[in-house]
């Protein structure tokens, strides 16, 4: 069996470890354990041959190879990969089927890219339902951006789908070798010396020449396999020294050019057509050439492989050389020939590549393709189409408009640097202040996305001042976007002032976004009543926003305000509706933010399993799909969940990744969250010095962010406790006073409870009872099971130190039971230790005291009336899993074990209230 690059893949040399790793993946897939592997290395080290050698026999294979081409059609690579399993499209739900069919057929459709990605997963799941499936993607760096995103999306879900996916990516020396988040990487380096010598000898070289070749080219498998055939006879047998340099790199390109020059002219022309075609498809090439015979000499020379589906170059270097040695006129002629043989979008691309000057018809055709790609959720491909359309536009105004359209799509595609380059070119020729303001709005957004929020803020605020005399509404839009730039960076006071000014400039129908930004700033500043008034104002109607459309983030910001203000019912109702709606519509980016915030709501309310599931769903979306900021929010939510349940490894991993993103993107609030999670983990483990170090950094970041609401991250309560445990009493007292001031400012229940428990740690025994009563009374105002158990643990420890062991036993038993029920085993162990110190043994299983929350009562009333969990979820705008969580808590409080018992014992009382 001869593999790519002419290497014998049945006898690969020096690759035992890599082969074992790949074959382990294949064996696991054969046994039903899906897995993805990203194979990375420099060009020519033998990655493709390695993958082919490990390919499992008898397993259905889907494969595609990216090609470096000027033509970039949205989802072209994905269409080639999925072609063998298109028969499973009929098994998909109608919206997914229509969206994916439109993407694969290159037909315009209103389905967005998120729906396409979910449909790809559904299609592969259906295809893998009857047995294991093996996918290979070679040279993924050359796939069109939409297909590359889809492959990454599938890779993170390979285990769930139950398939094997091996992705090959070439990385040159100057490029970063970063993998994909959550996807296993196999790094392939150069061959060791003994394997390199053996490979050189396979080319017929005597030992002395083989050693000389290895010294010259190292362990590059391609060079070692190809160079012997490119040497002169005297060089091969050692009578003449090897050329300097040996044919590798640029010299190898020149050697290939020499081999191409020996081919018939018609064959060279055919190779150029294949190199410039989108995928080397036989039908198109045969139509352009009048048959496939012209490729025979090139195939005999080992430069291409001709099969039933078309022509494949042996190596990307060959394709690049074919394109490189052709003249500009020759390339244009080849594009014209391909255009004559193609139809639809491919024809337009080739005609555009062949154009020698402005052409409005072609520009309009490309712009239409860009619009189609945009509607099909392929923003990177759409941006390329609009940029090329701009280059062919004879009218400067049309060229500028198309360039701006390309830049806006580059922002959507997550390529802010490219967006800025496009906008910078246009800005120099713009004189209209309104057009300039629109361009600057996009530039500011791109700068913010690239990780420079304060630079974006300065630009947007400055441009708002410039356009204000001409258009107040545009100025308000710029100020609002400047506020968005400050949202995760701060300072919050500046955000409040900015949003307030934008509110003063916009008409009532446009007040929603600046009003919500203002409310979020006021909430962080502790001015909760002013924030509530803004959110309840008539113009703050959330039903005007599409959960998956532009500005969808504002809905989650509203929920975040409710979370900080302890209006948990409102937050959960809004977020539950958001998540379910976006899931149904197949959204990805619009799903990330509400998932992270809803996970935090569930965490604070004690639903750890629900919070963990939401975080897992959010993490699976991936940074490449949702962007660094939204992914960082999911990471910190996951870190907090892990810290609460005592999973130290997961907490550290998520927090460190979030911190790296925050440093890269200058996200002050995310830095605070990451440090808080690590500090809380250390506190739960009893490592107070480490907790102090992390929590002090969290407090520093929070102060820089500008939040004055103690419930922003709960840092005060944790740091005060850590200070007490390391003997820094004065620092604890100062921070307790700050916490008390924040409590007075916000009126928050958690802050009041935390202040009371911290005073209990610091005050004398004679004031202990007052602090106990105050803390428990505050906890009765809001459902925070974990924090209430924390307070009970602290109070129990304090009562034991005051030698009131009987009183201590009661609150410690309650804390132990709550921690155990929540799944916080390390905290339960601390409570058990304290109980044993009081002479008691911990017990588990008693019903939990306390009244039902309003939401628990609503759920129970509907269940007692005969509603199913799904019907309750639909009525109360929450997920069925959330309904189940509320029922579990209510069952414990009511002392019942089933729906029947709930209905018979409590049905009349529940229905009467």
């Amino acid at each position: 069996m001869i593999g790519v690059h002419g290497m014998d893949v049945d006898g690969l040399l020096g690759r035992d470890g890599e082969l074992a790793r790949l074959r382990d993946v294949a064996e696991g897939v054969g046994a039903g354990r899906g897995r993805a592997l990203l194979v990375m290395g420099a060009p020519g080290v033998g990655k493709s041959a390695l993958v082919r050698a490990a390919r499992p026999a008898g397993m259905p294979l889907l494969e595609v190879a990216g090609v470096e081409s000027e033509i970039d059609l949205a989802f072209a690579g994905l269409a080639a990969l999925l072609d063998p399993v298109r028969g499973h499209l009929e098994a998909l739900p109608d919206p997914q089927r229509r969206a994916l069919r439109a993407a694969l057929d290159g037909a315009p459709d209103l389905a967005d890219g998120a729906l396409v990605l979910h449909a790809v997963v559904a299609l592969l799941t259906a295809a893998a339902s009857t047995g294991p499936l093996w996918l290979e993607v070679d040279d993924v760096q050359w796939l069109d951006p939409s297909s590359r995103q889809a492959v990454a999306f599938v890779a993170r879900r390979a285990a769930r789908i139950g398939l094997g996916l091996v992705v090959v990516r070439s990385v040159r020396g100057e490029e970063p070798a970063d993998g994909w988040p959550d996807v296993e990487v196999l790094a392939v380096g150069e061959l060791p010396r003994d394997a390199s010598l053996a490979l050189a000898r396979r080319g017929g070289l005597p030992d002395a020449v083989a050693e000389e070749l290895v010294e010259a080219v190292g362990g590059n498998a391609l060079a070692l396999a190809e160079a012997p055939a490119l040497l002169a006879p005297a060089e091969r047998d050692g009578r003449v020294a090897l050329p300097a340099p040996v044919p590798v790199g640029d010299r190898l390109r020149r050697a290939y050019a020499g081999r191409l020059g020996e081919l018939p002219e018609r064959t060279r022309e055919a190779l150029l057509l294949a190199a410039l075609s989108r995928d080397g498809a036989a039908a198109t090439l045969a139509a352009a050439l009048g048959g496939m015979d012209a490729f025979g000499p090139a195939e005999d020379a080992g430069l291409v492989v001709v099969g039933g589906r078309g022509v494949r170059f042996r190596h990307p270097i060959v394709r690049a050389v074919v394109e490189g040695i052709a003249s500009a006129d020759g390339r244009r002629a080849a594009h014209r020939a391909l255009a004559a043989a193609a139809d639809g979008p491919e024809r337009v691309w080739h005609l555009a590549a062949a154009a020698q000057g402005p052409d409005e018809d072609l520009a309009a055709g490309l712009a239409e393709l860009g619009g189609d790609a945009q509607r099909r959720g392929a923003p990177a491909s759409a941006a390329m189409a609009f940029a090329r359309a701009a280059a062919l536009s004879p009218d400067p105004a049309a060229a500028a408009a198309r360039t701006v359209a390309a830049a806006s799509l580059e922002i959507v595609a997550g390529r802010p640097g490219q967006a800025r380059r496009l906008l910078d070119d246009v800005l120099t020729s713009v004189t209209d202040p309104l057009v300039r303001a629109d361009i600057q709005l996009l530039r500011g957004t791109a700068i913010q996305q690239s990780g420079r929020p304060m630079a974006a803020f300065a630009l947007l605020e400055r441009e708002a001042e410039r356009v204000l005399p001409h258009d107040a509404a545009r100025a308000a839009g710029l100020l609002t976007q400047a506020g968005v730039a400050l949202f995760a960076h701060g300072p919050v006071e500046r955000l409040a002032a900015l949003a307030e000014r934008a509110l003063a400039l916009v008409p009532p129908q446009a007040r929603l976004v600046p009003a919500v930004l203002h409310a979020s700033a006021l909430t962080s500043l502790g001015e909760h009543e002013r924030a509530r008034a803004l959110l309840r104002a008539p113009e703050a109607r959330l039903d005007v926003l599409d959960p998956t459309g532009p500005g969808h983030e504002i809905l989650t910001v509203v929920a975040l305000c409710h979370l900080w203000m302890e209006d948990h019912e409102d937050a959960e109702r809004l977020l539950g509706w958001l998540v379910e709606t976006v899931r149904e519509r197949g959204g990805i980016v619009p799903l990330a933010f509400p998932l992270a915030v809803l996970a935090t709501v569930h965490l604070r309310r004690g639903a750890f399993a629900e919070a963990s599931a939401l975080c897992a769903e959010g993490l699976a979306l991936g940074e490449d799909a949702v962007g660094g900021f939204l992914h960082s929010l999911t990471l910190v939510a996951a870190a907090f969940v892990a810290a609460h349940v005592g999973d130290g490894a997961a907490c550290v991993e998520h927090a460190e990744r979030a911190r790296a993103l925050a440093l890269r993107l200058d996200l002050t609030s995310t830095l605070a969250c990451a440090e808080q999670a690590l500090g809380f983990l250390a506190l739960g483990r009893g490592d107070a010095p480490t907790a102090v170090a992390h929590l002090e950094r969290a407090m520093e970041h929070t102060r820089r962010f500008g939040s004055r609401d103690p419930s922003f991250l709960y840092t005060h309560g944790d740091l005060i406790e850590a200070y007490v445990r390391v003997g820094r009493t004065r620092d604890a007292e100062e921070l307790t006073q700050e916490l008390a001031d924040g409590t007075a400012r916000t009126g928050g229940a958690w802050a009041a409870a935390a202040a009371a428990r911290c005073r209990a740690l610091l005050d004398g025994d004679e004031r202990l009872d007052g602090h106990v009563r105050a803390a428990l009374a505050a906890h009765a105002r809001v459902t925070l099971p974990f924090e209430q158990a924390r307070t009970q643990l602290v109070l129990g420890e304090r009562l034991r130190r005051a030698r009131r062991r009987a009183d201590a036993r009661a609150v410690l038993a309650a804390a132990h039971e709550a921690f155990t029920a929540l799944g916080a085993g390390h905290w339960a162990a601390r409570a058990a230790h304290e109980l044993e110190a009081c002479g008691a043994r911990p017990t588990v299983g008693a019903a939990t005291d306390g009244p039902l929350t309003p939401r628990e009562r609503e759920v129970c009333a509907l269940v007692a009336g005969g509603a199913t969990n799904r019907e309750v979820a639909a009525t109360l705008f929450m997920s069925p899993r959330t309904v189940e969580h509320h029922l579990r808590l209510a069952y414990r409080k009511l002392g019942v074990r089933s729906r029947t018992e709930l209905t018979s014992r409590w049905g009349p009382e529940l229905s009467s209230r």
Side-chain angles (χ1 to χ4, degrees):
M1 172 180 175
I2 301 298
V4 71
H5 311 159
M7 296 176 63
D8 181 356
V9 298
D10 283 338
L12 286 180
L13 297 167
R15 296 300 189 197
D16 291 348
E18 293 90 340
L19 274 172
R21 184 104 168 264
L22 279 159
R23 284 170 176 158
D24 181 60
V25 173
E27 289 173 7
V29 173
R33 298 186 301 275
R35 193 167 160 193
L37 190 65
L38 179 59
V39 181
M40 300 175 67
V45 295
K47 303 180 297 299
S48 300
L50 182 63
V51 170
R52 289 172 184 270
R55 180 182 291 171
M59 196 178 293
L61 171 68
L62 278 63
E63 60 178 328
V64 69
V67 292
E68 188 176 7
S69 171
E70 294 182 12
I71 296 176
D72 188 350
L73 296 178
F75 298 112
L78 185 67
L81 179 68
L82 298 182
D83 186 62
V85 294
R86 286 188 62 139
H88 292 279
L89 275 169
E90 296 306 316
L92 272 57
D94 186 59
Q96 289 186 353
R97 182 174 63 254
R98 284 189 288 105
L100 185 54
R101 181 171 284 139
L104 300 183
D105 291 343
D109 192 82
L110 294 179
D112 63 19
L115 196 57
V116 171
L117 295 180
H118 283 290
V120 170
V121 171
L123 179 71
L124 289 171
T125 301
S129 62
T130 57
L133 196 62
W134 188 258
L135 281 69
E136 291 177 7
V137 179
D138 203 356
D139 282 324
V140 70
Q141 74 278 3
W142 299 129
L143 281 185
D144 62 274
S146 308
S147 298
R148 197 161 58 243
Q149 183 189 34
V151 171
F153 194 75
V154 170
R156 288 191 299 275
R157 291 157 179 78
R160 179 157 60 87
I161 299 171
L163 54 76
L165 172 59
V166 178
V167 181
V168 177
R169 174 178 157 194
S170 287
V171 181
R172 300 186 186 277
E174 69 276 8
E175 296 175 352
D178 298 334
W180 289 336
D182 305 315
V183 177
E184 186 180 352
V185 173
L186 171 61
V188 179
E190 292 194 340
L191 291 171
R193 180 175 174 80
D194 57 344
S196 299
L197 288 169
L199 182 56
R201 294 188 192 105
R202 281 189 181 180
L205 300 182
D207 289 349
V209 179
E211 289 183 6
E212 190 177 357
L213 178 62
V214 171
E215 288 297 324
V217 304
N220 186 285
L222 174 63
L224 292 167
E226 296 284 335
L230 299 171
L231 297 175
E235 293 168 340
R236 281 199 299 272
D237 61 22
R239 288 179 288 119
V240 176
L242 293 182
V246 169
V248 66
D250 291 338
R251 184 66 184 272
L252 184 58
R253 291 174 183 266
R254 290 195 293 272
Y256 273 127
R259 290 171 66 181
L260 289 166
E262 297 171 359
L263 297 174
E265 181 178 356
R266 187 164 178 268
T267 299
R268 294 199 302 271
E269 292 173 354
L271 289 174
L272 181 58
L273 288 175
L276 295 177
S277 71
R278 174 169 62 88
D279 54 7
T284 302
L285 293 175
L289 292 165
M292 299 290 283
D293 294 343
F295 290 104
E299 187 170 29
D300 292 341
L303 298 173
V304 296
V305 176
V306 180
R309 298 178 64 180
V311 176
R312 175 173 59 82
F313 285 88
R314 284 285 190 157
H315 193 274
I317 289 178
V318 182
R319 174 185 289 270
V321 171
V322 168
E323 291 188 44
I325 65 175
S327 66
D329 283 341
R331 286 193 295 270
R332 283 191 289 268
H335 279 300
R336 284 193 292 270
L338 288 167
D343 55 17
E346 192 169 355
R347 180 175 183 275
V348 177
W349 281 108
H350 284 300
L351 287 175
Q356 291 181 265
D359 186 323
E360 177 55 30
D361 289 340
L362 275 178
L366 282 169
E368 185 178 349
L369 287 183
D372 291 344
Q374 181 180 3
R375 286 188 291 273
R376 289 188 288 115
S381 298
M384 179 175 290
F386 276 112
R388 293 185 182 182
L392 291 174
S393 300
D395 177 32
R402 287 161 177 164
T403 301
V404 171
S408 67
L409 286 160
E410 293 286 12
I411 291 172
V412 174
R415 302 197 304 203
Q418 182 63 19
R420 281 200 63 192
R421 283 189 288 274
L422 291 168
L423 293 168
D424 290 348
D425 289 342
V426 175
L427 194 63
T428 58
S429 60
V430 171
T431 56
D432 186 325
L434 303 185
V435 176
R436 176 187 173 86
D438 293 341
I439 292 173
Q440 291 288 54
L441 179 62
L442 286 174
R443 286 186 75 236
T445 304
I447 292 169
Q448 177 192 344
Q449 192 181 84
S450 64
R452 298 171 57 210
M454 295 313 291
F457 164 78
L459 169 72
L460 293 163
E461 188 179 45
R462 189 167 56 248
E463 191 61 32
E465 296 296 340
R466 184 179 288 120
V467 81
L468 181 58
H470 305 281
D471 191 323
R474 272 185 168 85
L478 285 157
L479 289 173
T480 301
Q481 188 61 38
V484 172
L486 288 179
F487 185 76
H489 181 279
V492 176
E493 282 187 336
R494 208 166 186 179
L495 171 58
L498 206 70
E500 192 166 24
R501 189 170 178 215
L503 273 171
L505 293 174
V506 297
Q509 65 270 20
R511 288 173 59 88
L512 175 58
V513 175
V516 171
L517 282 176
H518 194 201
S520 72
L522 291 175
T523 304
S524 291
L525 291 171
E527 299 184 39
H528 289 186
E529 289 310 310
R530 286 184 64 194
R532 284 193 179 96
L534 275 172
L535 296 178
R536 291 169 181 165
E539 60 268 22
R541 288 184 52 195
L542 300 181
D543 57 358
V544 303
L545 288 179
D546 180 352
T548 58
H552 59 81
E553 302 91 346
I554 290 301
L555 291 165
T556 305
V557 174
V558 171
L560 198 55
C561 292
H562 288 317
L563 170 65
W564 288 333
M565 294 186 294
E566 299 179 339
D567 300 331
H568 294 155
E569 304 288 339
D570 293 333
E572 186 176 345
R573 184 179 292 107
L574 175 56
L575 290 165
W577 169 74
L578 261 178
V579 167
E580 292 301 317
T581 302
V582 177
R583 278 176 181 154
E584 288 173 2
R585 297 187 186 179
I588 293 180
V589 175
L591 185 59
F593 197 4
L595 279 178
V597 178
L598 184 56
T600 305
V601 172
H602 284 310
L603 184 65
R604 291 195 175 186
R605 303 193 74 181
F608 291 179
E610 180 82 356
S612 180
L614 291 168
C615 288
E617 184 178 355
L619 290 172
L621 298 177
E623 179 189 348
D624 56 329
V626 305
F629 171 58
L630 291 178
H631 193 59
S632 76
L633 297 181
T634 307
L635 286 168
V636 293
F640 278 120
V641 172
H644 277 72
V645 300
D647 188 344
C651 177
V652 171
E653 179 189 354
H654 296 321
E656 291 297 347
R657 285 174 58 188
R659 184 158 56 182
L661 277 172
L663 289 170
R664 191 180 88 207
L665 301 176
D666 203 7
L667 306 173
T668 309
S669 60
T670 301
L671 283 172
C673 292
E675 294 290 355
Q676 171 72 18
L678 293 169
F680 179 69
L681 173 70
L683 187 63
R685 289 173 161 178
D687 184 357
T690 300
V692 167
H694 285 298
L695 293 170
E696 283 185 334
R697 286 196 287 270
M699 185 66 75
E700 178 185 344
H701 293 310
T702 299
R703 295 193 198 287
R704 187 156 58 90
F705 180 65
S707 176
R708 296 201 292 268
D709 179 2
S711 67
F712 174 63
L713 282 181
Y714 292 180
T715 310
H716 284 80
D718 294 342
L719 184 52
I720 291 165
E721 182 178 338
Y723 276 155
V724 170
R725 296 191 185 283
V726 298
R728 292 172 58 177
T729 305
R730 179 171 297 178
D731 292 329
E733 289 172 346
E734 291 177 359
L735 204 57
T736 299
Q737 184 57 52
E738 188 175 305
L739 175 58
D741 293 341
T743 303
R745 184 165 50 249
T746 66
W750 173 86
R757 85 180 180 214
C758 291
R759 286 195 176 107
L761 282 172
L762 294 165
D763 278 353
D765 293 351
E766 69 280 2
R767 304 180 65 180
L768 186 53
D769 285 336
H771 296 321
V772 170
R773 286 192 297 271
L776 296 180
H779 275 299
R781 290 163 46 198
V782 63
T783 303
L784 298 168
F786 182 85
E787 284 298 311
Q788 180 169 335
R790 287 267 319 274
T791 297
Q792 290 167 332
L793 175 59
V794 167
L795 295 178
E797 292 171 337
R798 184 67 184 81
L799 287 165
R800 184 177 68 80
R801 290 207 315 271
R803 302 182 184 280
R804 296 169 55 178
R805 300 176 72 184
D807 294 334
R809 282 196 292 269
V811 289
L812 288 171
H816 178 264
E817 182 181 339
F819 286 139
T820 302
L822 290 167
H826 56 312
W827 287 93
R830 282 183 53 183
H833 177 75
E834 288 293 325
L835 270 173
E836 290 169 357
C838 288
R841 303 183 72 178
T843 59
V844 180
T848 305
D849 294 330
L852 296 180
T853 66
R855 179 48 60 91
E856 289 165 354
R857 183 170 292 280
E858 286 179 322
V859 170
C860 288
L862 289 169
V863 168
T868 65
N869 283 11
R870 187 164 294 279
E871 290 168 341
V872 174
T875 301
L876 300 180
F877 299 106
M878 61 176 66
S879 72
R881 288 176 294 180
T882 303
V883 172
E884 185 61 35
H885 163 68
H886 286 304
L887 278 177
R888 285 198 303 270
L889 292 179
Y891 283 0
R892 285 171 42 217
K893 291 180 179 180
L894 297 174
V896 300
R897 290 174 292 180
S898 68
R899 302 168 77 90
T900 303
E901 192 175 355
L902 172 72
T903 303
S904 62
R905 289 182 55 186
W906 296 97
E909 180 179 340
L910 289 167
S911 60
S912 66
R913 295 192 180 187

